[in-house]
Amino acid sequence: MTEKQENILSAALTLFAEQGFAATSTNKVAKAAGVSEGLIFRHFKNKEGLLAAIFEMVTERTKVILADVVMTNDPKEVIYKILELPFVINPRDYRMWRLIYAMKWQIQQYNTEKMEPVKLAAKNAFEKLGYDNPEAESELLLMLLDGAATAILLHEPRDKEAVLLAMKEKYKH
Amino acid sequence: MTEKQENILSAALTLFAEQGFAATSTNKVAKAAGVSEGLIFRHFKNKEGLLAAIFEMVTERTKVILADVVMTNDPKEVIYKILELPFVINPRDYRMWRLIYAMKWQIQQYNTEKMEPVKLAAKNAFEKLGYDNPEAESELLLMLLDGAATAILLHEPRDKEAVLLAMKEKYKH
Amino acid sequence: MTEKQENILSAALTLFAEQGFAATSTNKVAKAAGVSEGLIFRHFKNKEGLLAAIFEMVTERTKVILADVVMTNDPKEVIYKILELPFVINPRDYRMWRLIYAMKWQIQQYNTEKMEPVKLAAKNAFEKLGYDNPEAESELLLMLLDGAATAILLHEPRDKEAVLLAMKEKYKH
Amino acid sequence: MTEKQENILSAALTLFAEQGFAATSTNKVAKAAGVSEGLIFRHFKNKEGLLAAIFEMVTERTKVILADVVMTNDPKEVIYKILELPFVINPRDYRMWRLIYAMKWQIQQYNTEKMEPVKLAAKNAFEKLGYDNPEAESELLLMLLDGAATAILLHEPRDKEAVLLAMKEKYKH
DNA sequence: AATGAATGAGGCTTCATTCAT
DNA sequence: GATGAATGAAGCCTCATTCAT
């Protein structure tokens, strides 16, 4: 991956996240990346290919981040770690996550499957902890995760610490 | 509002929700609405004007839906009613909500303010119930609401009843 | 068919014939036709659609021209009329024929079938006249027709009358 | 001429013949030849230079093929040999001839002059044989040659032998 | 000799918008 | 109110060509 390729990917990520995929012209991407427009197509074939390349990159990153959760043994720790996820995202990765969350509404497949291992880990944890309906509980946990991430990415809630505390409180027994 | 105007609004709502605002051409809207392309501009001036008209419509309907929550007195009932919100949406309104949720990521203002009265009602309820940090709790509740709505709109969770039950359980004391 | 549509078709016909289909940009066509480039696509969908429209027009014209040959009864007259075909083309139609003859080498189907009725008429005529191998003779006649048309369209032979005479001479017995 | 140069020429010949000069990108040629795109320009300077090189090659081969006709003394044999020309082309040379025949319609000069010696030989032969109008007869013969070549290159007539026989029959007296 | 990254011009096409009817 | 022809800007993409290596 040459430097210019990385520039393109980075610029595209930012712009797609800020303005949406369709509303971002390849011309804008090229200018933001400081390359000729043609180069985008030489490296990524398509505007869609560019998006795909970004998602590939994102998927790799996500795997690494989620690995820690999935490898944890203590069930309560699993749940806490999942809850903490949105609160420990590196702000430098915000634009990446904004893109993912925005694309969810346009392209079905991209997001659901990525969280599947997390959901399994959660379900497993709830089972160990003797919850009544682990399936429903894990579903709920992922909803909460999603909602928290959305809030953080979109409007940075005032007192994140307090919110996280309140969340954990719900799972303390 | 003539019938053709309504057709246009309805078609635009569906298409904007499914494909995104930028990716939907006025031509597609016109065809889906069964009118000439020019008519869209006569009635709504702009593509943006069309979007604005949709949001006006949406805002009206949202107010009606949320009114019930805001008018409720019993604090626990307030919380339960908020939690139930995503589970009682009329499926015919899904496309409307999908549009709102998708647009959130493109246009900042639209969504936050719409939920403000709900958040206030929640905070008030948590205060009455003696929660430690009503501000954080209300923030958290809205996150949960958001996450649940997202799940329902995007992939229809298997056992919605059980999930709702698990949610309420968290607020039963 | 509006006037602008005709302008587009006419300009495209000329340019495609002169410079070839691929080498003619839609921009050039639009300028030559005195219309905006977008209009081409509104009316003909594609650059290929434009070509198809031209060929449709051409096919109609061809049918009319060939009808006379096919409807003739006297076998010798049939042969003579076929031989005369390239010599009686209206020079205003040269660009049309040049396009057809040039496209033959790029797109297989277009031409062969158009001449099929003529070949049948020729074969029939040769049978009536008692030629040894009517199939081969009709094939040969079409070759001659093709060669004569090519010569006339490409470099206007000096003494066309004399050539036509020499051609007929070969079929006088 | 290195092997790669030959590969390029050969690939270009095929592609130009199949798809036309303008419709063939240097990229396609490079891929078909198994070389880098840059190499084409190092060896042939231009896309046009590539075409020129092909034509040079072609002109050489044409001279060799036509030499036999021009060197023949017996007038009848001259005519027969001309008629036979399209029937004895090596099928491996079809793509070369297809290119020549296709280019005729785009670039004026290329073909006419190449056949000039043949036409002279024919005219001379007809004079010796006492034909009424040798000029017209030689013109006609070349038309026939052209038509036959076109038929053979484009749709391989069924019974070539019989057609050739019928052709010779016209010149037997 | 040979590669392949890089470019800028231009090609085909879509789009929001206007206007005469 | 309604249509549909027409436009010009912009969008995605391809292409011939150059250049550092």
Side-chain angles (χ1 to χ4, degrees), chain B residues 60-89:
Chain B
E60 286 315 302
R61 303 197 72 194
T62 312
K63 270 186 201 154
V64 174
I65 292 170
L66 298 185
D68 180 37
V69 172
V70 181
M71 309 298 269
T72 304
N73 282 319
D74 179 55
K76 204 165 235 171
E77 213 185 322
V78 167
I79 289 162
Y80 282 4
K81 276 192 172 166
I82 290 176
L83 289 176
E84 279 161 7
L85 276 172
F87 295 86
V88 299
I89 314 171

Side-chain angles (χ1 to χ4, degrees), chain C residues 1 14 16 24-25 34 36 71 82 102 123 142 154 156 164:
Chain C
M1 174 97 72
T14 304
F16 288 171
T24 305
S25 69
S36 71
M71 308 298 268
I82 291 176
K123 190 176 169 187
L142 282 223
L154 273 187
E156 274 294 334
L164 180 54

Side-chain angles (χ1 to χ4, degrees), chain C residues 24-26 37-38 41 46-47:
Chain C
T24 305
S25 69
T26 51
E37 207 175 343
F41 297 90
N46 262 352
K47 200 186 169 189

Side-chain angles (χ1 to χ4, degrees), chain D residues 54-77:
Chain D
I54 290 175
F55 268 100
E56 215 165 312
M57 192 182 78
V58 161
T59 306
E60 286 313 304
R61 302 197 71 193
T62 313
K63 270 186 201 153
V64 174
I65 292 169
L66 299 186
D68 181 38
V69 172
V70 181
M71 309 298 269
T72 303
N73 281 319
D74 180 56
K76 204 165 234 171
E77 213 185 321

Side-chain angles (χ1 to χ4, degrees), chain D residues 89-134:
Chain D
I89 315 171
N90 186 333
R92 287 174 52 198
D93 290 340
Y94 275 18
R95 53 183 197 149
M96 180 181 100
W97 288 107
R98 278 201 198 102
L99 176 60
I100 295 177
Y101 273 80
M103 292 303 297
K104 246 195 327 196
W105 298 94
Q106 243 76 253
I107 299 162
Q108 246 58 20
Q109 94 214 52
Y110 278 130
N111 199 68
T112 347
E113 60 193 35
K114 217 170 297 181
M115 288 320 227
E116 212 48 41
V118 177
K119 197 180 160 195
L120 269 169
K123 190 174 170 189
N124 198 266
F126 284 122
E127 263 162 11
K128 281 192 198 157
L129 290 170
Y131 273 65
D132 280 355
N133 191 338

